[in-house]
């Protein structure tokens, strides 16, 4: 058991600072996507502008669906808003590659640093040589 | 003032009381007990590990 | 209420440890309690992403993901029985920086979910007031009251907290069964209209992949059972029992929920509904059922927030105990034996998350933190089996077919990242940026306060290959 690492004691001010720091970081990352302007959801413009007052038939709603919509208190006009809402799943290859690299890089970096720190832990706990 | 407004106020007051209670209790605990004792919990003391639980107990009796 | 405050007989006189008072039922209540709210709301966004059938595929594919999670977690936790759960596992098996990240995933995932749950309670109060003719009731006092009351309960002892969770979770689960019986499943076409309502995949298979992200709602949080490890009697047996039992409950609840809702609601409505099960009950025109589902939705949200406070506080406490986070938080209450400072600290944070108005962002953060945690689990168990092969240490439970579950989990996680990329690409990047900056901060600033050898607390032999 040679060279046991003795950590310094942290004063209350440092403790408070660290607690607040991590919170600021969380809020920053919650706000960031708003600034980056993520427009993932788009309303299909063809359907919307053409139909001024849509009917169930025009919305391609069958009899059963119409009955359930009406039970929920929707008329064709109100339902049209929900029915015409479409997601856009076009994939931009560059941003996909960047995201993938980001995730892989993150795990790679984390595992590498962890291993370095872990070797230190094992050395202190079990002695520095790996022979039994 | 109808029942819903009253409920809202009641909810604020009740929430305040619950929070006040735990904060006051936490302060009282900090003043009454030694910080080292409060921090003395040990990870991994478990019946899965009878040897370790025992060795910790021995350490304690030495520490006293 | 005070039966858990008797003094310990284990002879740990100078150690203030948590009390071992919980049973497998509490473990079940903790796991299912956190998750079940996802059946009452949230899962249905997967219908908007990929249609009704897409949501069913997501339900089962993600069910497979979580079955892997539950098996892997049961094995590792039945061996590493500590309050930090996956954080403590990471510390022993992968290394400190990974452990720090895993601890943060846990705290963030649970605290943010807690905020969302409390918001649900507030919104339900507003909705109830509106049905009684009082429009525009402010939900805020009820949000704060939910968090404050549950924090108080958690502060006063884990036994009462999780016993309450058991009762309200059972009621919520039973309400799904009652609703299932009420829609006459043996007589299709009478109440349920699957034939008329189920459509083809509206976006094709890409929509199915996209719906995986919200398919996580069916099960998100079941892995939280591990956080009870330090307080449960015979953890090696109880944790696997409670977790597996919970997973089975959820698979049943998820499938029933899908079946009921898709048989009553048009998919475009279902895809954006706020309380789908409640809506399904309301169009049946049975007031009793409607009231039951309203109460159950409320209970599910409260149970979830309650479990989240329990788990987030234990993760934060464990990080404090090792000085990964300020050591001030590593304290145990001398009377109630709870991580009381961690519980208090997280109250204002949960409230602030609830009031940011960024619910979408907050929920994505929560789901993604969970997903990062599952990715870790697959890597973790592969290392675990390599470093301490079967037979080298005592395991309470050994999961079958290793390494198949681990690789399945890794593949499903990658697919779900892709699903998140499709819907919330920029949130994904900003959340990853958060964890990267936090990691650098930990390595450069925090790690110097951590004792090195001492954080390895298990009495295992030296790992193979180190």
């Amino acid at each position: 058991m040679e060279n046991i690492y003795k950590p310094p004691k942290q004063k209350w001010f440092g403790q408070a600072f660290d607690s607040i720091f991590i919170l600021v970081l969380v809020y920053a990352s919650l706000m960031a996507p708003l600034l980056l302007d993520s427009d993932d959801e788009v309303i299909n413009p063809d359907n919307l502008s053409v139909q001024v007052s849509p009917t169930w038939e025009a919305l391609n709603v069958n009899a059963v669906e119409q009955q359930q919509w009406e039970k929920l208190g929707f008329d064709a006009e109100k339902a049209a808003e929900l029915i015409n809402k479409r997601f856009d799943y076009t994939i931009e290859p560059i941003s996909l590659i960047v995201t993938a690299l980001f995730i892989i890089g993150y795990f790679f970096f984390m595992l590498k640093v962890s291993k370095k720190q872990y070797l230190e832990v094992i050395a202190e706990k079990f002695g520095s040589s790996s022979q039994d | 003032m109808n029942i819903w407004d009253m409920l809202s106020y009641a909810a604020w007051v009740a929430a305040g009381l619950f929070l006040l209670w735990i904060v006051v209790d936490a302060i009282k605990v900090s003043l009454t007990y030694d910080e080292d004792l409060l921090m003395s919990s040990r990870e991994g003391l478990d019946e899965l590990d009878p040897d370790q639980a025992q060795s910790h107990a021995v350490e304690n009796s030495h520490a006293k | 209420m005070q039966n858990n405050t008797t003094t310990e007989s284990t002879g740990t006189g100078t150690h203030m440890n948590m009390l071992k008072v919980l049973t497998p039922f509490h473990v079940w209540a903790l796991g299912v309690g956190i998750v079940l709210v996802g059946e009452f709301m949230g899962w249905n966004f997967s219908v908007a992403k990929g249609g009704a059938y897409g949501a069913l595929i997501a339900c089962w594919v993600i069910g497979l993901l979580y079955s892997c999670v539950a098996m892997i977690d049961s094995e590792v936790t039945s061996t590493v029985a500590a309050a930090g759960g996956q954080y403590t596992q990471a510390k022993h098996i992968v290394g400190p920086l990974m452990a720090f990240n895993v601890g943060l995933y846990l705290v963030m995932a649970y605290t943010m979910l807690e905020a969302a749950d409390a918001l649900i309670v507030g919104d339900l109060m507003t909705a109830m007031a509106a049905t009684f003719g009082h429009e525009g009731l402010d939900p805020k006092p009820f949000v704060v009251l939910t968090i404050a009351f549950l924090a108080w309960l958690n502060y006063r002892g884990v036994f009462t907290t999780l016993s309450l969770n058991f009762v309200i979770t059972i009621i919520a689960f039973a309400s799904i069964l009652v609703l299932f019986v009420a829609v006459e499943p043996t007589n299709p076409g009478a109440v349920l209209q699957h034939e008329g309502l189920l459509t083809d995949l509206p976006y094709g298979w890409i929509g199915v992949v996209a719906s995986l992200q919200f398919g996580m709602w069916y099960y998100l949080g079941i892995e939280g059972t591990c956080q009870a490890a330090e307080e449960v009697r015979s953890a090696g047996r109880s944790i696997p029992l409670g977790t597996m039992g919970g997973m089975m409950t959820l698979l049943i609840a998820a499938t029933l929920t899908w079946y009921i809702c898709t048989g009553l609601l048009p998919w475009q409505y279902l895809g954006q509904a706020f309380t789908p099960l409640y809506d399904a009950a309301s169009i049946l025109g049975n007031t009793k059922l409607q009231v039951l589902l309203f109460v159950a939705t409320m209970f599910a949200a409260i149970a979830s927030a309650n479990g989240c406070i329990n788990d987030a506080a234990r993760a934060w406490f464990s990080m404090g105990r090792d000085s990964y986070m300020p050591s001030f938080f590593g304290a145990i209450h001398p009377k109630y034996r709870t991580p009381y400072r961690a519980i208090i600290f997280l109250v204002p944070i949960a409230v602030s998350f609830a009031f940011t108005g960024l619910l979408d962002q907050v929920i994505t953060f929560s789901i993604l933190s969970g997903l990062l945690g599952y990715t870790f689990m697959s890597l973790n168990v592969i290392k675990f089996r390599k470093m301490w092969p079967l037979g080298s240490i005592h395991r309470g439970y050994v999961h079958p077919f290793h390494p198949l579950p681990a690789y399945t989990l890794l593949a499903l996680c990658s697919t779900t990242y892709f699903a998140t990329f499709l819907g919330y690409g920029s949130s994904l990047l900003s959340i990853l940026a958060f964890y990267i900056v936090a990691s650098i901060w930990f390595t450069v600033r925090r790690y110097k306060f951590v004792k090195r050898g001492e954080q390895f607390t298990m009495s295992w032999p030296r790992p193979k290959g180190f």
Side-chain angles (χ1 to χ4, degrees):
Chain A
M1 288 280 168
E2 68 277 21
N3 289 337
I4 292 208
Y5 174 76
K6 281 224 164 56
K9 271 239 183 258
Q10 198 181 16
K11 297 265 176 11
W12 75 266
F13 178 77
Q15 298 201 17
F17 176 83
D18 281 358
S19 312
I20 292 165
F21 176 83
I22 200 85
L23 285 181
V24 171
L25 212 55
V26 174
Y27 285 113
S29 64
L30 281 174
M31 303 292 182
L34 296 186
L35 303 177
L36 291 171
D37 178 44
S38 63
D39 216 10
D40 295 321
E41 213 173 274
V42 278
I43 291 168
N44 195 339
D46 323 327
N47 287 351
L48 211 80
S49 51
V50 177
Q51 298 288 338
V52 180
S53 59
T55 59
W56 290 117
E57 291 75 39
L59 290 169
N60 251 336
V61 168
N62 66 33
V64 178
E65 286 176 319
Q66 181 185 341
Q67 175 199 326
Q68 300 303 96
W69 276 114
E70 279 163 359
K71 271 194 203 166
L72 288 162
F74 280 83
D75 57 22
E77 207 165 329
K78 263 167 79 190
E81 214 175 296
L82 297 179
I83 291 175
N84 287 328
K85 209 164 152 187
R86 305 290 282 183
F87 288 104
D88 179 14
Y89 292 137
T90 22
I91 300 164
E92 293 164 48
I94 294 174
S95 64
L96 178 63
I97 292 168
V98 168
T99 309
L101 286 180
F102 222 55
I103 298 173
I104 295 167
Y106 164 64
F107 273 99
F108 186 77
F109 153 77
M110 191 161 49
L111 290 174
K112 214 174 142 93
V113 177
S114 292
K115 175 135 187 191
K116 206 176 119 222
Q117 295 168 332
Y118 189 67
L119 285 172
E120 225 175 56
V121 172
I122 295 299
E124 199 177 300
K125 169 94 183 176
F126 296 100
S128 52
S129 79
S130 59
Q131 312 128 340
D132 287 317
Chain B
M1 195 156 102
N2 66 28
I3 178 132
W4 292 103
D5 291 326
M6 268 156 60
L7 260 181
S8 297
Y9 286 119
W12 279 123
V13 171
L17 287 177
F18 281 126
L19 292 178
L20 189 68
W21 190 94
I22 54 179
V23 170
V24 168
D25 186 77
I27 293 170
K28 265 203 309 220
V29 165
S30 294
L31 294 177
T32 320
Y33 292 86
D34 183 35
E35 193 68 10
D36 287 338
L37 177 69
L38 297 175
M39 300 289 195
S40 64
S41 83
R42 285 288 166 272
E43 182 178 274
L45 278 181
D46 193 83
E47 70 266 36
L48 290 171
D49 256 340
D51 305 343
Q52 197 190 17
Q54 223 151 43
S55 76
H56 269 286
V58 172
E59 266 170 40
N60 296 341
S61 60
H62 281 306
K64 280 182 217 167
Chain C
M1 202 190 235
Q2 301 298 336
N3 57 351
N4 53 344
T5 57
T6 47
T7 49
E8 267 175 297
S9 58
T10 47
T12 50
T14 51
H15 285 316
M16 189 77 74
N17 283 311
M18 291 176 168
L19 292 177
K20 287 196 172 293
V21 288
L22 302 178
T23 65
F25 294 105
H26 294 103
V27 176
W28 179 91
L30 176 61
V32 178
I34 291 179
V35 187
L36 204 61
V37 68
E39 258 73 328
F40 289 88
M41 51 192 39
W43 70 272
N44 52 306
F45 299 135
S46 67
V47 176
K49 291 271 176 182
Y53 279 125
L56 183 64
I57 298 169
C59 168
W60 287 340
V61 170
I62 298 292
L64 180 65
L65 183 153
Y66 275 91
S67 301
C68 295
V69 165
M71 286 192 330
I72 290 171
D73 233 22
S74 291
E75 171 168 334
V76 188
T77 310
S78 73
T79 316
V80 188
Q86 292 86 357
Y87 155 77
T88 315
Q89 302 174 8
K91 200 173 64 170
H92 283 85
I93 298 165
V94 181
L97 181 61
M98 184 82 235
F100 172 76
N101 276 271
V102 171
L104 273 190
Y105 303 156
L106 295 169
V107 174
M108 292 303 153
Y110 292 125
T111 311
M112 289 179 176
L113 190 54
E114 173 196 343
D117 291 328
L119 272 181
I120 291 167
V121 175
D123 287 341
L124 285 173
M125 289 303 292
T126 307
M128 184 160 81
T131 28
F132 285 104
H134 181 90
E135 294 291 336
L137 179 73
D138 184 12
K140 284 197 190 76
F142 304 99
V143 173
V144 178
L145 177 61
T146 306
I147 294 174
F149 168 70
L150 294 175
W152 177 80
L153 198 63
N154 268 278
Y155 187 103
R156 310 239 323 164
V158 72
F159 186 84
T160 322
T161 304
L162 293 185
S163 297
L164 172 78
N165 241 37
F166 184 73
V167 175
I168 60 181
T169 304
I170 284 271
I171 294 174
F173 180 61
S175 80
I176 299 180
L177 297 180
V178 170
L179 186 61
F180 180 65
V181 173
V183 295
E184 301 180 42
T186 52
N187 191 7
V191 183
L192 294 175
Q193 308 287 342
H194 285 111
E195 210 161 306
L197 292 179
L198 287 179
T199 58
D200 289 338
L201 297 174
Y203 298 101
W205 286 96
I206 187 83
V208 177
V209 174
S211 67
L212 290 178
Q213 184 197 355
F214 288 105
M216 287 180 71
W217 274 95
Y218 289 114
Y219 317 97
L220 184 76
I222 184 68
E223 73 282 4
T225 50
C226 308
Q227 307 293 325
E230 212 161 308
E231 290 149 290
V232 72
R233 289 195 217 113
S234 41
R237 200 180 56 90
S238 304
I239 299 271
L241 209 60
T243 311
M244 299 296 197
M247 197 56 219
M248 283 174 214
T249 313
L250 291 174
L251 282 166
I252 295 169
T255 309
L256 292 185
T257 302
W258 179 89
Y259 189 75
I260 296 167
C261 291
T262 53
L264 290 169
L265 307 169
W267 75 271
Q268 295 98 333
Y269 176 83
L270 183 55
Q272 55 76 52
F274 180 59
T275 50
L277 269 176
Y278 174 75
D279 294 347
S282 349
I283 68 171
L284 294 177
N286 179 333
T287 320
K288 275 187 200 144
L289 267 182
Q290 214 175 330
V291 172
L292 174 68
L293 264 292
F294 180 86
V295 171
T297 308
M298 184 87 104
F299 277 5
I302 292 172
S304 179
N306 197 18
C308 285
I309 294 177
N310 182 84
D311 282 1
R314 269 143 194 86
W316 190 255
F317 154 80
S318 301
M319 291 209 283
R321 186 160 63 177
D322 292 328
S323 295
Y324 277 51
M325 281 295 166
S327 55
F328 175 78
F329 298 110
I332 293 275
H333 195 288
K335 186 167 164 210
Y336 305 121
R337 304 301 180 96
T338 51
Y340 70 108
R341 285 177 184 164
I343 292 172
I344 295 178
F345 176 70
L346 294 173
V347 167
I349 296 172
V351 171
S352 69
F353 285 154
F355 291 163
T356 47
L358 302 171
L359 187 62
D360 231 22
Q361 231 67 269
V362 166
I363 287 175
T364 310
F365 205 125
S366 177
I367 293 185
L368 204 70
S369 299
L371 190 58
L372 288 165
Y374 309 142
T375 314
F376 148 76
M377 282 179 205
S378 62
L379 304 171
N380 186 47
V381 77
I382 293 168
K383 276 184 167 266
F384 184 52
R385 285 284 182 106
K386 229 184 250 163
M387 289 156 67
W388 289 278
L390 294 183
S392 62
I393 53 173
H394 174 75
R395 286 166 157 87
Y397 167 85
V398 176
H399 80 273
F401 312 124
H402 179 79
L404 203 60
Y407 288 120
T408 312
L409 181 56
L410 195 58
L412 291 174
C413 285
S414 311
T415 318
T416 315
Y417 284 120
F418 178 64
T420 315
F421 165 79
L422 285 176
Y424 292 85
S426 48
S427 298
L428 176 61
L429 285 180
S430 101
I431 292 162
L432 276 172
F434 163 75
Y435 284 114
I436 291 172
V437 175
S439 295
I440 295 169
W441 172 74
F442 174 74
T443 314
V444 176
R445 166 161 172 89
R446 279 290 331 160
Y447 192 54
K448 65 170 178 278
F449 299 110
V450 178
K451 289 178 184 162
R452 301 293 144 94
E454 234 177 76
Q455 51 178 319
F456 193 106
T457 57
M458 297 294 136
S459 60
W460 297 345
R462 188 182 197 114
K464 246 184 153 174
F466 283 85

